[in-house]
Amino acid sequence: MMGKLGVVIVAAGRGSRMRTAESKQYLQLGQKPILVHTLQLFQNIHEVDEIILVVGEADVDRCRGYVQSYALTKVTSVQAGGAERQDSVKKGIDALEAGTEWVLVHDGVRPFAATEHVIACYRKAQETDAAVLAVPVKDTIKIVNEAKQIQSTPDRRSLWAIQTPQAFRLSVLREAHERAEAEAFIGTDDSMLVERLGITVQVVEGDYYNIKITTREDLPWAAWILEHVRGER
Ligand SMILES: Nc1ccn([C@@H]2O[C@H](COP(=O)(O)OP(=O)(O)OP(=O)(O)O)[C@@H](O)[C@H]2O)c(=O)n1
Ligand SMILES: C[C@](O)(CO)[C@H](O)COP(=O)(O)O
Protein backbone atom coordinates (compact mmCIF):
# COMPACT_ATOMS: atom_id res chain seq x y z
CA MET A 1 0.00 0.00 0.00
CA MET A 2 1.21 3.51 -0.87
CA GLY A 3 2.38 5.56 2.15
CA LYS A 4 0.22 8.41 3.34
CA LEU A 5 0.42 12.01 2.09
CA GLY A 6 0.58 14.74 4.71
CA VAL A 7 0.44 18.48 4.09
CA VAL A 8 2.11 21.04 6.35
CA ILE A 9 0.60 24.49 5.99
CA VAL A 10 2.75 27.18 7.59
CA ALA A 11 0.92 30.29 8.75
CA ALA A 12 2.83 31.44 11.81
CA GLY A 13 4.37 34.56 10.29
CA ARG A 14 3.56 38.11 11.36
CA GLY A 15 3.15 39.50 7.85
CA SER A 16 5.33 42.52 8.56
CA ARG A 17 5.63 43.48 4.86
CA MET A 18 1.82 43.73 4.62
CA ARG A 19 1.75 46.39 7.36
CA THR A 20 -1.75 45.57 8.60
CA ALA A 21 -2.80 45.30 12.26
CA GLU A 22 -4.14 41.79 11.60
CA SER A 23 -1.62 39.23 10.27
CA LYS A 24 -2.21 38.84 6.53
CA GLN A 25 -3.27 35.18 6.67
CA TYR A 26 -6.40 36.29 8.63
CA LEU A 27 -7.40 39.09 6.26
CA GLN A 28 -10.76 38.55 4.59
CA LEU A 29 -10.62 37.53 0.90
CA GLY A 30 -14.15 37.34 -0.49
CA GLN A 31 -16.21 35.60 2.20
CA LYS A 32 -13.37 33.92 4.14
CA PRO A 33 -9.94 34.54 5.67
CA ILE A 34 -7.04 33.92 3.25
CA LEU A 35 -5.87 30.98 5.37
CA VAL A 36 -9.27 29.26 5.12
CA HIS A 37 -9.12 29.43 1.31
CA THR A 38 -5.73 27.71 1.46
CA LEU A 39 -6.93 25.03 3.88
CA GLN A 40 -10.00 24.30 1.76
CA LEU A 41 -7.82 23.87 -1.32
CA PHE A 42 -5.97 20.96 0.32
CA GLN A 43 -9.05 19.63 2.17
CA ASN A 44 -10.61 19.10 -1.29
CA ILE A 45 -7.68 17.22 -2.84
CA HIS A 46 -8.53 13.53 -2.78
CA GLU A 47 -4.88 12.37 -2.45
CA VAL A 48 -4.34 14.34 0.79
CA ASP A 49 -4.70 12.19 3.92
CA GLU A 50 -3.82 14.69 6.63
CA ILE A 51 -3.15 18.40 7.12
CA ILE A 52 -1.01 19.90 9.91
CA LEU A 53 -1.65 23.59 10.40
CA VAL A 54 1.12 25.67 12.00
CA VAL A 55 0.13 29.09 13.34
CA GLY A 56 1.19 31.71 15.87
CA GLU A 57 0.81 30.62 19.50
CA ALA A 58 -1.86 33.26 20.11
CA ASP A 59 -3.89 32.03 17.10
CA VAL A 60 -4.12 28.32 17.90
CA ASP A 61 -7.62 28.58 19.43
CA ARG A 62 -8.95 30.77 16.64
CA CYS A 63 -7.64 28.27 14.05
CA ARG A 64 -9.12 25.30 15.91
CA GLY A 65 -12.37 27.25 15.58
CA TYR A 66 -11.89 27.45 11.78
CA VAL A 67 -11.29 23.70 11.65
CA GLN A 68 -14.68 23.16 13.31
CA SER A 69 -16.71 25.84 11.57
CA TYR A 70 -15.41 25.12 8.05
CA ALA A 71 -15.48 21.31 8.57
CA LEU A 72 -11.79 20.93 7.75
CA THR A 73 -11.83 17.24 8.62
CA LYS A 74 -8.34 16.52 7.28
CA VAL A 75 -6.70 18.94 9.73
CA THR A 76 -5.50 16.58 12.47
CA SER A 77 -3.39 19.05 14.42
CA VAL A 78 -2.97 22.79 14.92
CA GLN A 79 0.54 23.52 16.17
CA ALA A 80 2.26 26.67 17.40
CA GLY A 81 5.04 27.73 15.01
CA GLY A 82 8.55 29.07 15.55
CA ALA A 83 10.57 32.24 15.00
CA GLU A 84 11.54 31.46 11.39
CA ARG A 85 9.47 29.84 8.64
CA GLN A 86 11.92 26.92 8.77
CA ASP A 87 11.19 26.39 12.49
CA SER A 88 7.47 26.36 11.74
CA VAL A 89 7.93 23.74 9.01
CA LYS A 90 9.99 21.60 11.42
CA LYS A 91 7.20 21.72 14.00
CA GLY A 92 4.74 20.70 11.31
CA ILE A 93 6.69 17.71 10.05
CA ASP A 94 7.28 16.57 13.65
CA ALA A 95 3.48 16.42 14.11
CA LEU A 96 2.76 14.20 11.08
CA GLU A 97 1.18 10.84 11.84
CA ALA A 98 3.18 7.62 11.77
CA GLY A 99 2.89 6.01 8.34
CA THR A 100 3.26 9.27 6.45
CA GLU A 101 5.65 8.76 3.54
CA TRP A 102 5.16 11.96 1.53
CA VAL A 103 4.79 15.57 2.56
CA LEU A 104 3.77 18.77 0.82
CA VAL A 105 4.90 21.99 2.50
CA HIS A 106 2.76 24.98 1.58
CA ASP A 107 2.53 28.65 2.58
CA GLY A 108 -0.75 29.56 4.27
CA VAL A 109 -0.77 32.74 2.19
CA ARG A 110 -0.78 30.99 -1.21
CA PRO A 111 -4.49 30.25 -1.65
CA PHE A 112 -4.45 29.91 -5.46
CA ALA A 113 -2.28 26.88 -6.22
CA ALA A 114 -4.09 24.91 -8.95
CA THR A 115 -5.09 21.41 -7.88
CA GLU A 116 -3.65 19.92 -11.08
CA HIS A 117 -0.27 21.54 -10.34
CA VAL A 118 -0.31 20.36 -6.71
CA ILE A 119 -0.93 16.80 -7.90
CA ALA A 120 1.73 17.09 -10.62
CA CYS A 121 4.25 18.22 -7.99
CA TYR A 122 3.34 15.32 -5.69
CA ARG A 123 3.59 12.79 -8.55
CA LYS A 124 7.00 14.14 -9.55
CA ALA A 125 8.24 13.82 -5.95
CA GLN A 126 7.06 10.21 -5.91
CA GLU A 127 9.45 9.62 -8.86
CA THR A 128 12.37 11.74 -7.65
CA ASP A 129 11.92 12.26 -3.85
CA ALA A 130 11.84 16.07 -4.17
CA ALA A 131 9.88 18.47 -6.40
CA VAL A 132 8.74 22.09 -6.23
CA LEU A 133 6.30 24.23 -8.17
CA ALA A 134 7.84 27.16 -10.01
CA VAL A 135 7.42 29.56 -12.92
CA PRO A 136 10.03 30.99 -15.31
CA VAL A 137 10.90 34.58 -14.35
CA LYS A 138 9.54 37.26 -16.68
CA ASP A 139 11.95 40.08 -15.78
CA THR A 140 15.66 40.37 -16.33
CA ILE A 141 17.30 39.57 -12.97
CA LYS A 142 20.55 41.24 -11.87
CA ILE A 143 22.99 40.47 -9.07
CA VAL A 144 23.44 43.84 -7.29
CA ASN A 145 25.88 44.76 -4.51
CA GLU A 146 25.18 46.84 -1.37
CA ALA A 147 26.11 50.02 -3.25
CA LYS A 148 23.35 49.17 -5.74
CA GLN A 149 25.84 48.48 -8.52
CA ILE A 150 25.07 45.70 -10.95
CA GLN A 151 27.57 42.87 -10.63
CA SER A 152 26.25 40.44 -13.21
CA THR A 153 23.23 39.30 -15.19
CA PRO A 154 22.37 35.60 -14.94
CA ASP A 155 20.96 34.03 -18.09
CA ARG A 156 17.19 34.36 -17.69
CA ARG A 157 16.62 31.01 -19.36
CA SER A 158 17.93 29.33 -16.20
CA LEU A 159 15.98 31.43 -13.68
CA TRP A 160 12.74 30.24 -12.09
CA ALA A 161 10.65 31.80 -9.32
CA ILE A 162 10.06 29.06 -6.77
CA GLN A 163 6.64 28.61 -5.20
CA THR A 164 4.94 26.17 -2.88
CA PRO A 165 3.81 23.45 -2.52
CA GLN A 166 7.17 21.76 -2.23
CA ALA A 167 6.85 17.98 -2.16
CA PHE A 168 9.27 15.53 -0.56
CA ARG A 169 9.72 12.01 0.67
CA LEU A 170 9.24 12.73 4.38
CA SER A 171 12.46 10.96 5.43
CA VAL A 172 14.43 13.23 3.05
CA LEU A 173 12.86 16.42 4.38
CA ARG A 174 13.43 15.28 7.97
CA GLU A 175 17.11 14.64 7.27
CA ALA A 176 17.40 18.02 5.52
CA HIS A 177 15.95 19.86 8.52
CA GLU A 178 18.13 17.94 10.97
CA ARG A 179 21.25 18.79 8.96
CA ALA A 180 20.29 22.47 8.68
CA GLU A 181 19.65 22.67 12.42
CA ALA A 182 22.96 20.98 13.25
CA GLU A 183 24.78 23.41 10.96
CA ALA A 184 22.75 26.49 12.03
CA PHE A 185 21.71 27.05 8.42
CA ILE A 186 18.53 28.99 7.74
CA GLY A 187 17.02 28.88 4.27
CA THR A 188 14.09 30.71 2.77
CA ASP A 189 12.49 27.51 1.46
CA ASP A 190 12.64 23.78 2.14
CA SER A 191 14.16 22.96 -1.22
CA MET A 192 17.36 24.77 -0.16
CA LEU A 193 17.74 22.43 2.78
CA VAL A 194 17.25 19.36 0.59
CA GLU A 195 19.66 20.72 -2.05
CA ARG A 196 22.31 20.93 0.71
CA LEU A 197 22.04 17.15 1.11
CA GLY A 198 23.21 16.80 -2.50
CA ILE A 199 19.76 15.62 -3.60
CA THR A 200 18.44 16.89 -6.92
CA VAL A 201 15.16 18.78 -6.61
CA GLN A 202 12.91 18.67 -9.67
CA VAL A 203 11.04 21.79 -10.82
CA VAL A 204 7.43 21.38 -11.94
CA GLU A 205 6.01 24.28 -13.95
CA GLY A 206 2.99 25.89 -12.29
CA ASP A 207 1.35 29.21 -13.10
CA TYR A 208 1.58 32.90 -12.22
CA TYR A 209 -1.70 32.92 -10.26
CA ASN A 210 -0.09 30.98 -7.38
CA ILE A 211 1.00 34.19 -5.68
CA LYS A 212 2.32 34.52 -2.16
CA ILE A 213 0.22 37.31 -0.69
CA THR A 214 3.01 39.45 0.77
CA THR A 215 2.50 43.20 0.30
CA ARG A 216 -0.53 45.49 0.01
CA GLU A 217 -0.57 45.58 -3.77
CA ASP A 218 -1.11 41.81 -3.75
CA LEU A 219 -4.58 42.23 -2.17
CA PRO A 220 -6.55 43.63 -5.14
CA TRP A 221 -4.75 41.15 -7.40
CA ALA A 222 -5.78 38.33 -5.04
CA ALA A 223 -9.40 39.51 -5.08
CA TRP A 224 -9.32 39.51 -8.90
CA ILE A 225 -7.84 35.99 -9.04
CA LEU A 226 -10.50 34.78 -6.59
CA GLU A 227 -13.29 36.20 -8.74
CA HIS A 228 -11.99 35.35 -12.21
CA VAL A 229 -9.69 32.33 -11.90
CA ARG A 230 -10.20 30.32 -8.73
CA GLY A 231 -13.69 29.10 -9.60
CA GLU A 232 -12.43 27.56 -12.83
CA ARG A 233 -9.94 25.29 -11.01
N1 LIG B 1 8.08 32.15 11.59
C1 LIG B 1 7.31 31.98 10.52
C2 LIG B 1 7.42 32.83 9.39
C3 LIG B 1 6.60 32.61 8.29
N2 LIG B 1 5.70 31.59 8.33
C4 LIG B 1 4.77 31.39 7.21
O1 LIG B 1 5.49 31.18 6.00
C5 LIG B 1 4.71 31.65 4.91
C6 LIG B 1 5.56 32.49 3.94
O2 LIG B 1 6.18 33.53 4.67
P1 LIG B 1 5.98 35.10 4.42
O3 LIG B 1 5.15 35.36 3.25
O4 LIG B 1 7.32 35.72 4.51
O5 LIG B 1 5.11 35.49 5.70
P2 LIG B 1 5.50 36.39 6.92
O6 LIG B 1 6.74 35.91 7.57
O7 LIG B 1 4.26 36.43 7.73
O8 LIG B 1 5.71 37.81 6.22
P3 LIG B 1 6.81 38.92 6.48
O9 LIG B 1 8.13 38.31 6.06
O10 LIG B 1 6.38 40.06 5.61
O11 LIG B 1 6.75 39.25 7.95
C7 LIG B 1 3.53 32.44 5.48
O12 LIG B 1 2.35 31.68 5.33
C8 LIG B 1 3.92 32.63 6.92
O13 LIG B 1 2.82 32.70 7.83
C9 LIG B 1 5.63 30.75 9.43
O14 LIG B 1 4.83 29.82 9.46
N3 LIG B 1 6.46 30.95 10.51
C1 LIG C 1 8.83 29.28 0.32
C2 LIG C 1 8.67 30.47 -0.58
O1 LIG C 1 7.32 30.83 -0.67
C3 LIG C 1 9.13 30.08 -1.97
O2 LIG C 1 9.02 31.17 -2.81
C4 LIG C 1 9.45 31.66 -0.10
O3 LIG C 1 10.83 31.40 -0.15
C5 LIG C 1 9.04 32.14 1.27
O4 LIG C 1 9.82 33.27 1.60
P1 LIG C 1 9.35 34.30 2.71
O5 LIG C 1 10.48 35.26 2.88
O6 LIG C 1 9.05 33.49 3.93
O7 LIG C 1 8.17 34.98 2.14
Side-chain angles (χ1 to χ4, degrees), residues 8 16 21 34 78 80 98 143 147 191 206-207 218 230:
V8 171
S16 50
I34 289 170
V78 181
I143 308 294
S191 176
D207 68 32
D218 294 330
R230 176 81 189 260

Side-chain angles (χ1 to χ4, degrees), residues 4-167:
K4 286 196 285 187
L5 172 63
V7 178
V8 171
I9 296 185
V10 284
R14 286 195 311 276
S16 50
R17 285 171 287 181
M18 184 60 77
R19 293 183 291 107
T20 44
E22 180 81 295
S23 296
K24 60 186 178 178
Q25 54 273 38
Y26 302 109
L27 297 178
Q28 209 71 6
L29 178 62
Q31 304 300 310
K32 293 169 276 197
I34 289 170
L35 179 59
V36 171
H37 287 282
T38 306
L39 290 165
Q40 287 180 328
L41 161 66
F42 287 92
Q43 169 74 30
N44 293 333
I45 294 179
H46 172 77
E47 284 79 354
V48 170
D49 294 301
E50 163 186 43
I51 299 168
I52 307 293
L53 174 59
V54 185
V55 298
E57 200 158 7
D59 299 311
V60 169
D61 287 344
R62 168 200 338 217
C63 288
R64 289 196 175 127
Y66 291 161
V67 171
Q68 294 301 317
S69 54
Y70 290 98
L72 299 165
T73 53
K74 291 185 182 176
V75 179
T76 57
S77 175
V78 181
Q79 296 284 321
E84 303 286 341
R85 181 185 182 281
Q86 186 172 316
D87 303 320
S88 298
V89 173
K90 177 73 167 50
K91 290 194 172 198
I93 59 180
D94 285 349
L96 285 164
E97 280 173 0
T100 305
E101 187 174 5
W102 304 100
V103 61
L104 305 181
V105 180
H106 190 69
D107 295 327
V109 291
R110 285 192 194 264
F112 302 126
T115 299
E116 64 174 303
H117 295 150
V118 175
I119 303 286
C121 189
Y122 169 45
R123 296 283 176 233
K124 187 53 75 176
Q126 288 181 306
E127 289 168 27
T128 65
D129 280 0
V132 300
L133 276 191
V135 283
V137 300
K138 298 185 207 177
D139 295 318
T140 298
I141 307 287
K142 307 277 185 184
I143 308 294
V144 178
N145 69 14
E146 284 183 7
K148 294 201 173 74
Q149 296 159 329
I150 292 173
Q151 302 298 290
S152 61
T153 307
D155 183 347
R156 187 166 65 185
R157 288 171 299 181
S158 65
L159 294 174
W160 291 68
I162 303 301
Q163 306 174 338
T164 67
Q166 302 195 344

Side-chain angles (χ1 to χ4, degrees), residues 178-195:
E178 278 158 22
R179 170 87 67 92
E181 198 174 323
E183 296 173 357
F185 176 83
I186 295 180
T188 52
D189 75 346
D190 295 281
S191 176
M192 283 174 79
L193 311 191
V194 171
E195 291 158 44

